[in-house]
Amino acid sequence: MEAARVQAAHRRLLDSLDRPEETQRELLARILEHNAGTAFGHEHGLAGVRSVDELRRAVPIRTHEALMPWIERAMDGEHRVLTADDPVVYFSSSGSTGREKHIPVTRTYMRETFLPFYHAAFAPLLGTLPGSATAPDGVLNLWQDPTAPAARTRRGQPHIGSSQVDYRRFGEDSAVGPGNDASWSRIPEALASADPWERAYFKLRLAAAQDIRVVIGINPAMVAALPYQLRTSWPRLVEDIRAGTLGGRPHTSPDPERADEIARYAATFGTVLPQHLWPRLTAVLVWNSALASLYLPRVRETYGPGVQLFAAPVASCEGPAAVPVDRHLGGAPLYLPGCVYEFVPADGPLSADSETLLPTELEEGADYHLVLSHIGGLYRCAVNDVVRVVGRVGRTPRVAYAGRNVVRSAAGERLSEAVVVRALGAACQDTGAEIRNATCRLAPGRPGRYQVAVAFAGPPVTDLAGALDARLARHCPGYGAGRRSGGIAPVEVITVHEDAFLREWERAVRGGQRPPRVKDRVFQPSDDAWARITSTRPQAA
């Protein structure tokens, strides 16, 4: 990765923060100029659109699923459906319905939106630790895996996660992710088809013999899982490093000295932690909002007392949302040069004709549904994420990911993921509780009862249930009304084994999910997963 590219993208973003209206107006004009002549453009009269107000009248708000008829036409080979240039790949992500998303990615979108966003995201890390991401041999990139087996659409186009992008397909050799061009990092072709669990082990095995200074984690679930992987797989690491093998095949020179060193750590501490393997580790790049904000402080300790957390950018597979410009851990300014943003207050539902607000109209401390348009062919697309305004940088809102656009109701309340996380965080502060992870569900039966499965970091805190109940009533008026009317029973906190969520992560990865896709679930959608998590209770002291 070239530092000059990172710095240029960072400056471009900084230049936009005091002129959000002008930046968004110029971007909309560019999108319309490029794509008005497409089938979508003709159907919606985009050639006559000159402002966001006119865009609102011409195009209803749609989810990705509602845009699929046009996306499928492009996937079937029709040209100029959503974009002037044809998609090169399709980004994948599991949608709210469980159906895989297909987000078209064109060369223009990659060049003008995605790559500048991607480069700008590394600026705070490089500004604080110069050379950290440009010296590939010292970077462990848990997030990106461009050599992982890729799915295909029915016509053979790559259907991949954003973490699988090989930027060289777009003529961008300099954009290879930090650590991916390290001399030690490539999984041999003979092992390339291994399942995600084995690939995760291979990456850890290769990194265990290196002097890692920076970990690119992005997804906090992966950052939390790495110490667990070490705890469960260090004997295999020792064996492979001692023999110089990878997946049972000769790969490196045998290194009995390093193997003995790792074995001594395990004998001394009962496990092997990241700080043991990499004593000169200085930084981890990771999302640190929503549920992760409650457990990352404890996770960071396993990486080393001097390790700094750097905020990862806020994004969905549909497009970028915000990019850090400083060391602020709570949020980042909107990425104004990349998407035209609209917002709908999240205290109500989102519909095709919802009235929207522009960036300068947002209120600090409020939650919003995010609607975006960009040159890659998405027009007024509602993503399944809710963001919270936590401040401003210049005249631009600083936002944090607050949760998925998922709500539950037992007695007419709209209890959102964002509210559950805030209430749980406040309840932890009220009681001194520290957690490793948590998930929630609305239990069947009447009156309605919310159950929260909690893996504590330390002894269980029995007062947490009462504190959480009070905080939920304070943060969600409908919940308070339901408690007073008897329509909602007191919240129940179920203490689970400290490894319950890590074992569920392992199960998902062993089942074929790539690690970047296995994320925290505030509202647990799976009854089977809930049963597994809550069946693993703490061991008796």
Side-chain angles (χ1 to χ4, degrees):
M1 175 170 282
E2 294 179 359
R5 291 282 296 276
V6 172
Q7 293 163 358
H10 181 62
R11 286 194 299 270
R12 180 190 184 211
L13 173 58
L14 290 178
D15 289 345
S16 73
L17 299 180
D18 281 320
R19 50 186 194 91
E21 298 97 339
E22 180 184 354
T23 302
Q24 294 278 275
R25 188 166 55 247
E26 291 173 352
L27 177 60
L28 178 59
R30 169 62 180 146
I31 293 169
L32 296 171
E33 175 190 26
H34 187 68
N35 289 332
T38 61
F40 186 95
H42 289 309
E43 290 175 44
H44 292 81
L46 295 187
V49 170
R50 295 292 182 271
S51 66
V52 172
D53 281 341
E54 292 177 351
L55 182 68
R56 287 164 168 157
R57 290 192 289 270
V59 181
I61 297 172
R62 292 184 175 97
T63 62
H64 162 266
E65 287 78 11
L67 284 166
M68 273 305 293
W70 288 277
I71 295 173
E72 287 176 341
R73 286 163 60 181
M75 289 168 58
D76 286 338
E78 184 178 342
H79 301 296
R80 298 179 64 83
V81 179
L82 288 163
T83 51
D85 50 334
D86 293 334
V88 178
V89 302
Y90 290 84
F91 280 170
S92 67
S93 179
S94 180
S96 57
T97 63
R99 181 184 180 188
E100 282 286 342
K101 292 184 180 180
H102 292 74
I103 307 299
V105 179
T106 66
R107 293 186 185 280
T108 301
Y109 171 75
M110 184 63 67
R111 182 179 65 251
E112 297 187 14
T113 300
F114 187 90
L115 281 174
F117 160 80
Y118 168 79
H119 280 104
F122 290 98
L125 177 62
L126 265 64
T128 305
L129 303 170
S132 57
T134 56
D137 281 0
V139 178
L140 169 57
N141 195 324
L142 296 174
W143 175 57
Q144 289 176 304
D145 191 0
T147 65
R152 299 274 173 176
T153 68
R154 55 180 173 262
R155 289 180 62 89
Q157 302 108 319
H159 183 211
I160 58 178
S162 59
S163 60
Q164 293 177 277
V165 175
D166 185 347
Y167 300 107
R168 286 166 287 209
R169 286 182 60 91
F170 298 89
E172 290 283 351
D173 289 357
S174 66
V176 173
N180 287 328
D181 53 352
S183 58
W184 54 266
S185 66
R186 186 165 292 272
I187 295 173
E189 188 172 338
L191 301 174
S193 62
D195 62 72
W197 179 256
E198 277 295 279
R199 289 184 70 89
Y201 168 77
F202 293 159
K203 185 173 286 192
L204 185 57
R205 150 67 180 99
L206 295 173
Q210 309 302 319
D211 180 21
I212 299 298
R213 312 292 183 88
V214 175
V215 171
I216 307 296
I218 309 296
N219 179 357
M222 288 195 298
V223 173
L226 191 143
Y228 171 77
Q229 288 177 276
L230 279 175
R231 176 154 47 92
T232 57
S233 65
W234 71 260
R236 185 181 177 189
L237 284 176
V238 168
E239 181 180 336
D240 273 341
I241 291 172
R242 187 181 306 281
T245 54
L246 182 70
R249 298 169 178 266
H251 182 71
T252 59
S253 298
D255 191 349
E257 183 176 346
R258 177 61 167 166
D260 289 343
E261 182 181 32
I262 296 173
R264 283 196 298 272
Y265 284 130
T268 302
F269 299 101
T271 186
V272 177
L273 297 173
Q275 62 180 301
H276 299 148
L277 285 183
W278 308 305
R280 295 203 287 178
L281 184 67
T282 56
V284 177
L285 185 70
V286 62
W287 294 324
N288 51 20
S289 57
L291 195 56
S293 66
L294 305 184
Y295 66 71
L296 276 178
R298 272 299 186 101
V299 171
R300 188 193 65 80
E301 294 175 1
T302 69
Y303 282 78
V307 171
Q308 302 178 64
L309 296 182
F310 287 79
V314 181
S316 66
C317 64
E318 287 90 349
V323 179
V325 294
D326 50 29
R327 293 300 311 280
H328 191 291
L329 292 179
L334 293 169
Y335 186 61
L336 299 172
C339 294
V340 174
Y341 297 110
E342 301 174 68
F343 300 86
V344 176
D347 56 1
L350 182 65
S351 64
D353 59 354
S354 290
E355 293 186 8
T356 61
L357 301 170
L358 299 182
T360 54
E361 299 173 314
L362 304 187
E363 295 182 8
E364 188 169 342
D367 294 340
Y368 295 94
H369 302 292
L370 177 61
V371 177
L372 56 79
S373 305
H374 61 59
I375 204 165
L378 298 189
Y379 309 92
R380 307 199 75 209
C381 180
V383 305
N384 194 41
D385 294 335
V386 172
V387 296
R388 184 171 181 83
V389 180
V390 296
R392 279 180 169 74
V393 183
R395 297 183 58 244
T396 298
R398 187 192 292 270
V399 303
Y401 170 71
R404 293 177 177 84
N405 178 23
V406 180
V407 297
R408 295 289 185 266
S409 178
E413 79 283 7
R414 283 181 53 85
L415 187 61
S416 68
E417 287 197 352
V419 168
V420 170
V421 171
R422 281 199 294 277
L424 181 58
C428 286
Q429 290 181 337
D430 293 340
T431 61
E434 293 185 80
I435 67 171
R436 297 179 184 273
N437 213 322
T439 190
C440 178
R441 76 163 183 171
L442 178 57
R446 289 289 182 270
R449 182 192 296 274
Y450 288 94
Q451 296 176 312
V452 183
V454 176
F456 285 95
V461 176
T462 56
D463 293 342
L464 183 62
L468 178 56
D469 199 56
R471 286 291 183 172
L472 286 171
R474 184 179 303 181
H475 287 284
C476 179
Y479 181 91
R483 288 284 292 111
R484 290 189 295 273
S485 70
I488 302 177
V491 69
E492 179 185 8
V493 170
I494 301 171
T495 302
V496 302
H497 192 278
E498 63 178 20
D499 287 342
F501 292 90
L502 296 169
R503 291 170 182 169
E504 194 63 19
W505 180 89
E506 176 181 352
R507 187 178 189 279
V509 177
R510 284 188 181 274
Q513 289 287 327
R514 291 186 303 104
R517 293 182 53 140
V518 184
K519 300 172 183 175
D520 297 322
R521 293 286 187 177
V522 178
F523 283 129
Q524 183 54 245
S526 167
D527 290 340
D528 289 343
W530 176 268
R532 288 191 297 270
I533 290 169
T534 56
S535 69
T536 54
R537 300 302 176 91
Q539 296 175 343

